[in-house]
Amino acid sequence: MDFKYQTVKEVYETFLADTESTIPSELKTKYLGKKGKVKQLLKDVGEKPKDERANFGKEINTLKHFIENKIGQLSVQTKAKFSQDQIDVTAPFDINTSQENKPKLLNKVGSKHILNQELENILNVFEKMGFDIEESRQIDDDYNMFTALNFPIGHPARDNWDTFWTEEGYIPPAHTSTMQNRVLKSYKIPIRVVVPGRCFRNEATDASHEHTLHQIEGVYVDKDISMGDMFGVIKEFLEGIFEANLQIKIQTGYFPFTEPSAEIMISCPFCKTRGCNICSYSGWIEIMGCGMVHPNVLREGCIDPEEYTGFAWGFGLDRVVMMKYGIDDIRKLHSGELEFLDQF
Ligand code: DAH
């Protein structure tokens, strides 16, 4: 802008310089306020020779309009910028701050926990084989946890399950087999059901034991079901989950609710059977228990063991995830450590 009067020109120039560093509300006070620079100029009008007063007054008005418009524009820009810069306290940020020492926003919003990702994969594999899904529960009773599964009262095998009890005599289940009786009673034969759920064990934690873990139970009941069918299903599942070539070994086991019972071992993926602290130097890791459903369990589930047979299994999801991804400490899965979780 071109002003003829020196005093107007000076106010115009200082205003322009001020817009670089002064916020709009301060500019308004400094230039348009009661004691502002524009008002000061107006006071000078009377001192000008009469024939110049009109022109001088016009220039001041032009300057005043210019300043008003400019301050208006600047405050719109500042508001927009402020809303962009505002801190979103819910936004994930990187704990390693950037060079300017400002928190850096993560460019990733988050992801499903690896246990949930794998649970979905596993349930998918079973759904493709025609299994229904029935979720387990987090509080149960003695009948479902033990009695219906052929553990007579006072039987020493009850001690193998390191069970928590509430003061009222309820149990946060130590295995998903706690759902077997309900499944046998409520599903129609042929029964093909998988039961994922959280389990609780009253035991000391270490690299391969946690007090809270996840299991996936399976129950299959129909006419003429044999152990061959059981190994077929388990093999298909293990091959679907571990794309790696692991060796599998079957050994006899004992569970009150199956007869015969078996344990499935996989070659230790950490030491490739050479022996390490993860597999207790045996080279093998037990991945699941299984067996033919005991006739007493079928009877308790209102199924005639003379007519029908079935098999069941149970395995730890956490352990499967550890083996698949080479995680050497089960406790990491519940640690909430971002550095660990970010890998998946
Ligand atoms: N419930 C057993 C456990 O927690 C696992 C298990 C073994 C489940 C054999 C079964 C089975 O259904 O048939 O160790």
Side-chain angles (χ1 to χ4, degrees), residues 149 161 174-178 180 199 201 213 215-219 230 254-255 257-258 260-262 286 288-293 311-315:
L149 290 171
W161 268 266
H175 58 182
T176 42
S177 309
T178 203
Q180 262 201 36
C199 305
R201 301 236 170 143
L213 54 133
Q215 284 192 340
I216 300 178
E217 184 85 6
V219 190
M230 175 172 85
Y254 167 71
F255 301 102
F257 33 96
T258 42
S261 304
E286 191 223 311
M288 63 202 290
C290 56
M292 300 304 289
V293 181
F311 60 84
W313 73 81
F315 65 87

Short mmCIF file of all heavy atoms in Angstrom, two decimals, residues 149 161 174-178 180 199 201 213 215-219 230 254-255 257-258 260-262 286 288-293 311-315, ligand 1:
data_model
loop_
_atom_site.label_atom_id
_atom_site.label_comp_id
_atom_site.label_asym_id
_atom_site.label_seq_id
_atom_site.Cartn_x
_atom_site.Cartn_y
_atom_site.Cartn_z
N LEU A 149 -16.65 -85.06 35.05
CA LEU A 149 -15.53 -85.54 34.21
C LEU A 149 -14.87 -86.77 34.82
O LEU A 149 -13.70 -87.05 34.57
CB LEU A 149 -14.50 -84.42 34.02
CG LEU A 149 -14.97 -83.25 33.14
CD1 LEU A 149 -13.96 -82.11 33.21
CD2 LEU A 149 -15.17 -83.67 31.68
N TRP A 161 -4.70 -80.26 38.98
CA TRP A 161 -5.20 -79.10 38.24
C TRP A 161 -5.02 -77.76 38.97
O TRP A 161 -5.57 -76.76 38.57
CB TRP A 161 -6.65 -79.32 37.79
CG TRP A 161 -6.65 -79.92 36.42
CD1 TRP A 161 -6.74 -79.26 35.24
CD2 TRP A 161 -6.51 -81.30 36.08
NE1 TRP A 161 -6.66 -80.14 34.19
CE2 TRP A 161 -6.51 -81.40 34.67
CE3 TRP A 161 -6.34 -82.47 36.81
CZ2 TRP A 161 -6.38 -82.61 34.00
CZ3 TRP A 161 -6.23 -83.67 36.14
CH2 TRP A 161 -6.24 -83.72 34.75
N ALA A 174 -9.88 -74.41 35.73
CA ALA A 174 -8.47 -74.62 35.42
C ALA A 174 -8.29 -75.26 34.06
O ALA A 174 -7.18 -75.41 33.57
CB ALA A 174 -7.84 -75.49 36.50
N HIS A 175 -9.40 -75.69 33.45
CA HIS A 175 -9.33 -76.18 32.06
C HIS A 175 -10.68 -75.99 31.38
O HIS A 175 -11.71 -75.84 32.04
CB HIS A 175 -8.86 -77.64 31.98
CG HIS A 175 -9.71 -78.63 32.73
ND1 HIS A 175 -9.41 -79.98 32.78
CD2 HIS A 175 -10.84 -78.49 33.45
CE1 HIS A 175 -10.32 -80.61 33.49
NE2 HIS A 175 -11.20 -79.74 33.92
N THR A 176 -10.64 -75.98 30.03
CA THR A 176 -11.89 -75.78 29.28
C THR A 176 -12.72 -77.06 29.24
O THR A 176 -13.87 -77.03 28.79
CB THR A 176 -11.59 -75.29 27.85
OG1 THR A 176 -10.48 -76.03 27.35
CG2 THR A 176 -11.25 -73.82 27.82
N SER A 177 -12.16 -78.18 29.74
CA SER A 177 -12.95 -79.42 29.82
C SER A 177 -14.16 -79.20 30.72
O SER A 177 -15.11 -79.97 30.69
CB SER A 177 -12.11 -80.56 30.39
OG SER A 177 -10.90 -80.67 29.70
N THR A 178 -14.14 -78.14 31.51
CA THR A 178 -15.25 -77.79 32.39
C THR A 178 -16.55 -77.62 31.59
O THR A 178 -17.64 -77.65 32.17
CB THR A 178 -14.88 -76.50 33.18
OG1 THR A 178 -15.64 -76.43 34.36
CG2 THR A 178 -15.08 -75.23 32.34
N GLN A 180 -17.35 -79.68 28.97
CA GLN A 180 -17.68 -80.92 28.24
C GLN A 180 -19.09 -81.42 28.54
O GLN A 180 -19.85 -81.77 27.64
CB GLN A 180 -16.67 -82.00 28.59
CG GLN A 180 -15.59 -82.14 27.57
CD GLN A 180 -14.91 -83.49 27.65
OE1 GLN A 180 -15.52 -84.52 27.93
NE2 GLN A 180 -13.61 -83.48 27.42
N CYS A 199 -8.43 -69.88 31.31
CA CYS A 199 -8.32 -70.81 32.44
C CYS A 199 -7.37 -70.23 33.48
O CYS A 199 -6.53 -69.39 33.17
CB CYS A 199 -7.77 -72.15 31.98
SG CYS A 199 -8.73 -72.86 30.65
N ARG A 201 -4.85 -71.09 36.94
CA ARG A 201 -4.14 -72.13 37.71
C ARG A 201 -3.39 -71.50 38.88
O ARG A 201 -2.68 -70.51 38.71
CB ARG A 201 -3.15 -72.86 36.82
CG ARG A 201 -3.84 -73.50 35.64
CD ARG A 201 -3.57 -74.97 35.55
NE ARG A 201 -4.44 -75.56 34.55
CZ ARG A 201 -4.10 -76.53 33.72
NH1 ARG A 201 -2.88 -77.02 33.78
NH2 ARG A 201 -4.96 -77.02 32.87
N LEU A 213 -4.27 -68.54 31.56
CA LEU A 213 -3.90 -69.04 30.23
C LEU A 213 -5.16 -69.28 29.41
O LEU A 213 -6.28 -69.12 29.93
CB LEU A 213 -3.10 -70.34 30.36
CG LEU A 213 -3.77 -71.44 31.19
CD1 LEU A 213 -3.71 -72.75 30.49
CD2 LEU A 213 -3.09 -71.53 32.56
N GLN A 215 -7.19 -71.98 26.77
CA GLN A 215 -7.20 -73.33 26.20
C GLN A 215 -8.26 -73.41 25.11
O GLN A 215 -9.19 -72.61 25.07
CB GLN A 215 -7.55 -74.37 27.28
CG GLN A 215 -6.42 -74.67 28.24
CD GLN A 215 -6.71 -75.90 29.09
OE1 GLN A 215 -7.86 -76.32 29.24
NE2 GLN A 215 -5.67 -76.47 29.65
N ILE A 216 -8.08 -74.41 24.26
CA ILE A 216 -9.13 -74.72 23.29
C ILE A 216 -9.44 -76.20 23.42
O ILE A 216 -8.58 -77.06 23.19
CB ILE A 216 -8.73 -74.34 21.86
CG1 ILE A 216 -8.44 -72.83 21.80
CG2 ILE A 216 -9.85 -74.70 20.89
CD1 ILE A 216 -7.99 -72.32 20.45
N GLU A 217 -10.64 -76.48 23.82
CA GLU A 217 -11.11 -77.84 24.02
C GLU A 217 -11.83 -78.29 22.75
O GLU A 217 -12.39 -77.45 22.04
CB GLU A 217 -12.14 -77.78 25.17
CG GLU A 217 -12.69 -79.10 25.62
CD GLU A 217 -11.77 -79.75 26.63
OE1 GLU A 217 -10.78 -79.12 27.06
OE2 GLU A 217 -12.05 -80.90 26.99
N GLY A 218 -11.82 -79.58 22.50
CA GLY A 218 -12.60 -80.08 21.37
C GLY A 218 -13.33 -81.34 21.79
O GLY A 218 -12.79 -82.15 22.56
N VAL A 219 -14.53 -81.52 21.31
CA VAL A 219 -15.30 -82.74 21.60
C VAL A 219 -15.95 -83.21 20.30
O VAL A 219 -16.51 -82.40 19.56
CB VAL A 219 -16.43 -82.48 22.64
CG1 VAL A 219 -17.04 -83.79 23.09
CG2 VAL A 219 -15.95 -81.67 23.82
N MET A 230 -9.49 -89.42 15.68
CA MET A 230 -8.93 -88.38 16.57
C MET A 230 -7.57 -87.89 16.04
O MET A 230 -7.35 -86.68 15.90
CB MET A 230 -8.76 -88.93 17.99
CG MET A 230 -8.08 -87.97 18.92
SD MET A 230 -8.10 -88.54 20.60
CE MET A 230 -6.65 -89.58 20.62
N TYR A 254 -2.53 -89.83 31.00
CA TYR A 254 -3.64 -90.19 31.89
C TYR A 254 -4.51 -88.97 32.16
O TYR A 254 -4.01 -87.92 32.60
CB TYR A 254 -3.12 -90.75 33.23
CG TYR A 254 -4.25 -90.82 34.23
CD1 TYR A 254 -5.27 -91.76 34.08
CD2 TYR A 254 -4.35 -89.90 35.28
CE1 TYR A 254 -6.35 -91.79 34.96
CE2 TYR A 254 -5.43 -89.93 36.16
CZ TYR A 254 -6.42 -90.86 35.98
OH TYR A 254 -7.49 -90.89 36.84
N PHE A 255 -5.76 -89.09 31.86
CA PHE A 255 -6.77 -88.10 32.26
C PHE A 255 -7.98 -88.90 32.73
O PHE A 255 -8.35 -89.87 32.07
CB PHE A 255 -7.18 -87.20 31.08
CG PHE A 255 -6.03 -86.45 30.47
CD1 PHE A 255 -5.45 -86.89 29.28
CD2 PHE A 255 -5.52 -85.32 31.09
CE1 PHE A 255 -4.37 -86.22 28.72
CE2 PHE A 255 -4.44 -84.64 30.53
CZ PHE A 255 -3.86 -85.09 29.35
N PHE A 257 -10.94 -88.32 32.44
CA PHE A 257 -12.11 -88.20 31.57
C PHE A 257 -11.93 -88.85 30.20
O PHE A 257 -12.80 -88.79 29.34
CB PHE A 257 -12.52 -86.73 31.40
CG PHE A 257 -11.37 -85.75 31.43
CD1 PHE A 257 -10.78 -85.30 30.26
CD2 PHE A 257 -10.86 -85.30 32.64
CE1 PHE A 257 -9.71 -84.42 30.30
CE2 PHE A 257 -9.80 -84.41 32.69
CZ PHE A 257 -9.21 -83.97 31.51
N THR A 258 -10.79 -89.48 29.97
CA THR A 258 -10.59 -90.18 28.69
C THR A 258 -9.97 -91.55 28.94
O THR A 258 -9.21 -91.74 29.88
CB THR A 258 -9.65 -89.39 27.75
OG1 THR A 258 -8.56 -88.88 28.52
CG2 THR A 258 -10.35 -88.25 27.06
N PRO A 260 -8.69 -94.78 26.14
CA PRO A 260 -7.33 -94.40 26.55
C PRO A 260 -7.08 -92.90 26.39
O PRO A 260 -7.79 -92.21 25.67
CB PRO A 260 -6.46 -95.22 25.59
CG PRO A 260 -7.31 -95.47 24.41
CD PRO A 260 -8.73 -95.50 24.87
N SER A 261 -6.01 -92.45 27.05
CA SER A 261 -5.61 -91.04 26.96
C SER A 261 -4.26 -90.94 26.27
O SER A 261 -3.46 -91.89 26.32
CB SER A 261 -5.46 -90.44 28.36
OG SER A 261 -6.63 -90.59 29.12
N ALA A 262 -4.01 -89.81 25.66
CA ALA A 262 -2.71 -89.62 24.98
C ALA A 262 -2.24 -88.19 25.12
O ALA A 262 -3.03 -87.29 25.44
CB ALA A 262 -2.86 -89.97 23.49
N GLU A 286 5.18 -80.90 25.23
CA GLU A 286 3.82 -81.42 25.20
C GLU A 286 2.90 -80.30 24.76
O GLU A 286 2.90 -79.22 25.35
CB GLU A 286 3.44 -81.91 26.60
CG GLU A 286 2.16 -82.69 26.58
CD GLU A 286 1.25 -82.32 27.73
OE1 GLU A 286 1.71 -82.29 28.88
OE2 GLU A 286 0.06 -82.05 27.45
N MET A 288 -0.57 -80.94 23.67
CA MET A 288 -1.97 -81.16 24.01
C MET A 288 -2.26 -82.53 24.58
O MET A 288 -1.49 -83.47 24.37
CB MET A 288 -2.87 -80.93 22.79
CG MET A 288 -2.61 -81.87 21.64
SD MET A 288 -3.19 -81.17 20.08
CE MET A 288 -4.94 -81.26 20.33
N GLY A 289 -3.35 -82.59 25.33
CA GLY A 289 -3.82 -83.87 25.85
C GLY A 289 -5.06 -84.27 25.07
O GLY A 289 -5.80 -83.40 24.57
N CYS A 290 -5.28 -85.58 24.93
CA CYS A 290 -6.46 -86.02 24.19
C CYS A 290 -6.81 -87.45 24.57
O CYS A 290 -6.07 -88.09 25.31
CB CYS A 290 -6.21 -85.93 22.69
SG CYS A 290 -4.76 -86.85 22.14
N GLY A 291 -7.89 -87.93 24.06
CA GLY A 291 -8.25 -89.33 24.33
C GLY A 291 -9.68 -89.61 23.94
O GLY A 291 -10.42 -88.72 23.50
N MET A 292 -10.06 -90.89 24.11
CA MET A 292 -11.46 -91.29 23.82
C MET A 292 -12.29 -90.97 25.06
O MET A 292 -11.90 -91.33 26.18
CB MET A 292 -11.52 -92.78 23.51
CG MET A 292 -10.69 -93.22 22.31
SD MET A 292 -11.10 -92.32 20.79
CE MET A 292 -12.72 -92.98 20.41
N VAL A 293 -13.40 -90.29 24.85
CA VAL A 293 -14.21 -89.84 25.99
C VAL A 293 -14.61 -91.05 26.84
O VAL A 293 -15.11 -92.06 26.33
CB VAL A 293 -15.46 -89.08 25.51
CG1 VAL A 293 -16.28 -88.58 26.70
CG2 VAL A 293 -15.06 -87.91 24.62
N PHE A 311 -14.19 -88.58 20.91
CA PHE A 311 -12.87 -88.19 21.42
C PHE A 311 -12.89 -86.73 21.82
O PHE A 311 -13.80 -85.98 21.45
CB PHE A 311 -11.75 -88.47 20.39
CG PHE A 311 -11.90 -87.76 19.09
CD1 PHE A 311 -11.45 -86.46 18.93
CD2 PHE A 311 -12.47 -88.42 18.00
CE1 PHE A 311 -11.57 -85.81 17.72
CE2 PHE A 311 -12.60 -87.76 16.77
CZ PHE A 311 -12.15 -86.46 16.63
N ALA A 312 -11.90 -86.37 22.62
CA ALA A 312 -11.82 -84.98 23.08
C ALA A 312 -10.35 -84.62 23.19
O ALA A 312 -9.47 -85.49 23.24
CB ALA A 312 -12.50 -84.84 24.43
N TRP A 313 -10.08 -83.32 23.18
CA TRP A 313 -8.70 -82.88 23.37
C TRP A 313 -8.73 -81.52 24.04
O TRP A 313 -9.77 -80.85 24.10
CB TRP A 313 -7.97 -82.77 22.04
CG TRP A 313 -8.42 -81.60 21.23
CD1 TRP A 313 -8.02 -80.30 21.38
CD2 TRP A 313 -9.40 -81.59 20.19
NE1 TRP A 313 -8.68 -79.49 20.49
CE2 TRP A 313 -9.54 -80.26 19.75
CE3 TRP A 313 -10.16 -82.59 19.59
CZ2 TRP A 313 -10.41 -79.90 18.73
CZ3 TRP A 313 -11.02 -82.23 18.58
CH2 TRP A 313 -11.14 -80.89 18.15
N GLY A 314 -7.59 -81.10 24.55
CA GLY A 314 -7.48 -79.76 25.09
C GLY A 314 -6.04 -79.30 24.91
O GLY A 314 -5.10 -80.07 25.13
N PHE A 315 -5.87 -78.07 24.46
CA PHE A 315 -4.50 -77.56 24.35
C PHE A 315 -4.45 -76.09 24.75
O PHE A 315 -5.45 -75.39 24.75
CB PHE A 315 -3.91 -77.76 22.95
CG PHE A 315 -4.61 -76.99 21.88
CD1 PHE A 315 -4.25 -75.68 21.58
CD2 PHE A 315 -5.62 -77.58 21.15
CE1 PHE A 315 -4.89 -74.97 20.58
CE2 PHE A 315 -6.27 -76.88 20.15
CZ PHE A 315 -5.92 -75.57 19.87
N1 DAH B 1 -8.10 -80.60 30.32
C1 DAH B 1 -6.78 -81.10 30.09
C2 DAH B 1 -5.76 -80.17 30.72
O1 DAH B 1 -6.09 -79.11 31.14
C3 DAH B 1 -6.51 -81.22 28.62
C4 DAH B 1 -7.32 -82.32 28.02
C5 DAH B 1 -6.80 -83.56 27.92
C6 DAH B 1 -8.59 -82.06 27.55
C7 DAH B 1 -7.53 -84.60 27.38
C8 DAH B 1 -9.34 -83.10 26.99
C9 DAH B 1 -8.79 -84.36 26.91
O2 DAH B 1 -10.57 -82.93 26.51
O3 DAH B 1 -9.53 -85.35 26.36
O4 DAH B 1 -4.63 -80.51 30.82
#
